[in-house]
Amino acid sequence: PRWLPPPETLHLWKEFETPEPAEIKAIQKSFLRHVTKTFARTAFNMDNFGSYQGTAYSLRDRLIDKWNITQQHHTREDPKRVYYLSLEFLLGRSLDSCLLSLGVKDIYKKALDELGFRLEDLIGEEVDAALGNGGLGRLAACYMDSLATLDYPAWGYGIRYNYGIFKQLIVDGYQTEFPDYWLNFGNPWEIERLDVSYEVRFRGYVNKVTEEDGTISYVWEGGEKVVAVAYDVPIPGYGTMNTINIRLWSAKPAREFDFAMFNDGNYEKAVEEQKSAENITSVLYPNDNHMVGKILRLKQQYFFVCATLQDAIRRFKKTNRPWSDFPYQVSIQLNDTHPTLGIPELQRILIDEEGLSWDDAWDIVTKTFSFTNHTVLPEALERWAVPLIQDLLPRHMMIIFDINLFFLQKVEKKFPGDRDRLRRMSIIEEGHPQNVRMAFLAIVGSHTVNGVAALHSNLIKNDIFPDFVEFYEGNKFTNVTNGITPRRWLHQCNPALSDFITQKLGSDSWVKDLEQLKKLKEFADDAAVQKQWMAIKRQNKVRLADYIHSITSIQVSPDSLFDIQVKRIHEYKRQFMNILGVIHRYLRLKKLTPEQRAKEVPRLVVFAGKSAPGYFIAKLVIKLINSVGEVVNNDPEIGDILKVVFIPNYNVSLAEIIIPASDISQHISTAGTEASGTSNMKFVLNGGIILGTVDGANIEIGEEIGEDNIFFFGVKADEVEDIRHLNRYRKIEMDPDLRNVLDAIERGTFGDPKIFEPLVATLTVGGDYYLISKDFASYIEAQADSDEAYKDKVGWAKKSILCTAGMSKFSSDRSINEYAERIWKIKPCTVPATLN
Ligand code: CR1
């Protein structure tokens, strides 16, 4: 039975519910102090940006208090910590999420209201922190939120890029890129730590030293040095004191100036050198699931792991423990192979600088690191040319060769005489030049390797690294299915639905315990709940329709089915198939009589996503989408029955508007290619229904919510290789409906067909590697099924409720607890709440 307050005590609660005037006063005071003192503005020289700054700085003071208390507590308790190393953190905006985490949104709103500012307007002033490409970077951000919320002692480490992911503009239907100078207007969410800096060496030479007793050691000397300066981004847990830190490194020149050069009259060259140091952290590489072997990228990787390890080791050394304790105090997670140089770097520090034996050092290294693989795409697996590493990091190259030698000796011992196996498993890939296979180095140097969804983890074991599974007898490999933070991806981005869920469940504790959503199942058939549920969905669709109109001038109807595909543009994600399906629908609609057309379910098809700037085919897909939209949206016979919109510059804050508004979202990668996907989870959590392939986390979502509540189609992962094989050796039998669609493109229905020739060719002479033709018929059928289902309003509402109700498993809190217990072996370290 629920506890009810005795009526005579209610006034006590009321007093606590309505923020005290003194609190509001305190907020206004700190706001005005920052506005007038930090930013030197006055009542007569203010705008929304100024009030955003004042609010952010006032909140930042609270964050810093909590951060300090947390750090002091951790220093006292000295728990085992996890270090999450990632080249990407896609944080998005911070103001709204901090207000919610600190539980002060309502009171800030009141305080600002009284001063004549609207909080909603201020939130829109913030620029996204977009230090990532897509899923991998956003996953890191969700994981930081969960680590903080669950009271874990954790640190994120990465790079403070001066330019985040580029801004996408659509010009004449084509993607164009503009630099994202996100720091131009200052960044309230970071604390510059000029007191925390480390030197990082590149190039130079390795000195071999023979001691008197005959032992040999190596010293890495010379070369050039740059300095890594820390910038700290506090991450508050939701409703807890724990406030953890993402430490981002920025490169600075090691010496202020080369005076010798200056005196030689070579002033410009001296300044040039300084610039080249700063270049290291200048720009995020804009490739998702694709490696580009640029030396500057390798420099970024070493720069950040080198500074990070120095920082972690300094913290460890403060406690005067023996080195053998290191793996029991420190766990280091590699977010993909990008930070893998941390493995030879720690080995180098331990043997060259700390004087440990190779074996003792290697034992520590392999007990410290663990590695997450995020992709099976061959073009994304990192391989670095040996000469490149040799030049930039000569000592590391020696160590990698030694790691490989000792490893292959063990393989030889276990499988004597199996030369082909040695070749397959070697960290060094033979060829001209030789390459370092970073994933192999990461596997060999880690105690645990995980994939990011059940299917993906199986593919890793059976298809990508089977030799390693055999060698380690299955002991290293495991799965941790990805998750998303319900704070940002429901509570914050969909306040109406969040409030309604809280009302129905009688408490807001689901925000920290997503298991509770299961109780929503009881309401799936409740007509009143269904009505309210769909009314909220409609509100969110109106919000998106308004946004679309403001950006593209296209008028869309909130009563149409919102069918959304937003993610990086990539051939394996098959946005191409989606737009071909749209053309198919358009051609069909054109053949109908007006009466028949009036019976169709009106559909809005939304696309958004960036293409890597050098990815020609992906950029053509964007052009085709816009060209199709141009024709369809201006066809008076079609009207609202079909609209096609490409929303430019997809990013985290746009996702927060788009995701709550979907009826259907598409996750249609060729089976076996999408490691997990995480936006699929966000859509379903917000009551959207997936139309997708049997791939990545779609599969587990289907298991949780029930197959009636998801539209699956297409071939299964284990069929793909055979079909590809046949495609290579037989003429592809093009699906007849697809042939019609291609004919329409080739007739010039959507503008100059020449433009699209290379794109169409991927399906014909290109061999249709992603099996669009094979899946087309079942894709169209699934789309038709979704139209039918949408006509049944009650049935749809029920599906939508069951979607949200079934998503408990996909909280990043569950993922993080799994990592903590099974991989990192860390425990919560709860900070006493001396401040609220
Ligand atoms: C995968 O493509 C997954 C994220 C996060 C991406 C996507 O399916 O959800 O990682 N992989 O795990 C990636 O970026 C470099 O690889």
Side-chain angles (χ1 to χ4, degrees), residues 135-136 139 288-289 336 338 374-375 452 482 572 674-678:
L136 174 143
L139 185 76
D288 184 86
N289 263 296
D336 213 278
H338 317 146
H374 291 269
T375 184
V452 290
N482 284 167
Y572 87 83
E674 188 71 274
S676 162
T678 42

Side-chain angles (χ1 to χ4, degrees), residues 197-326:
S197 71
Y198 300 97
E199 287 190 338
V200 178
R201 185 194 308 274
F202 292 105
R203 301 205 163 85
Y205 51 88
V206 178
N207 228 341
K208 184 172 171 179
V209 184
T210 311
E211 311 288 340
E212 273 175 14
D213 64 356
T215 55
I216 289 169
S217 61
Y218 295 91
V219 189
W220 179 28
E221 287 170 333
E224 57 212 58
K225 280 184 182 170
V226 300
V227 170
V229 178
Y231 285 74
D232 287 347
V233 182
I235 303 292
Y238 182 91
T240 176
M241 177 60 71
N242 197 40
T243 298
I244 61 173
N245 196 18
I246 304 181
R247 182 156 278 181
L248 301 177
W249 301 107
S250 180
K252 301 274 149 74
R255 46 192 168 181
E256 266 316 303
F257 224 85
D258 186 331
F259 281 102
M261 255 193 229
F262 182 56
N263 290 331
D264 287 350
N266 213 340
Y267 171 77
E268 276 154 343
K269 187 150 189 288
V271 175
E272 258 335 291
E273 280 210 352
Q274 287 197 308
K275 276 224 211 94
S276 91
E278 282 157 15
N279 268 344
I280 294 174
T281 50
S282 170
V283 62
L284 163 78
Y285 278 87
N287 308 295
D288 184 86
N289 263 296
H290 187 86
M291 106 150 273
V292 177
K294 292 267 167 58
I295 189 156
L296 185 61
R297 167 75 171 192
L298 187 64
K299 272 191 156 180
Q300 290 184 339
Q301 297 187 347
Y302 179 65
F303 170 80
F304 119 87
V305 298
C306 174
T308 300
L309 281 174
Q310 292 184 65
D311 206 35
I313 288 171
R314 180 191 51 84
R315 200 165 295 125
F316 171 74
K317 280 190 168 177
K318 279 203 281 195
T319 59
N320 297 313
R321 294 171 191 264
W323 272 111
S324 54
D325 277 4
F326 192 75

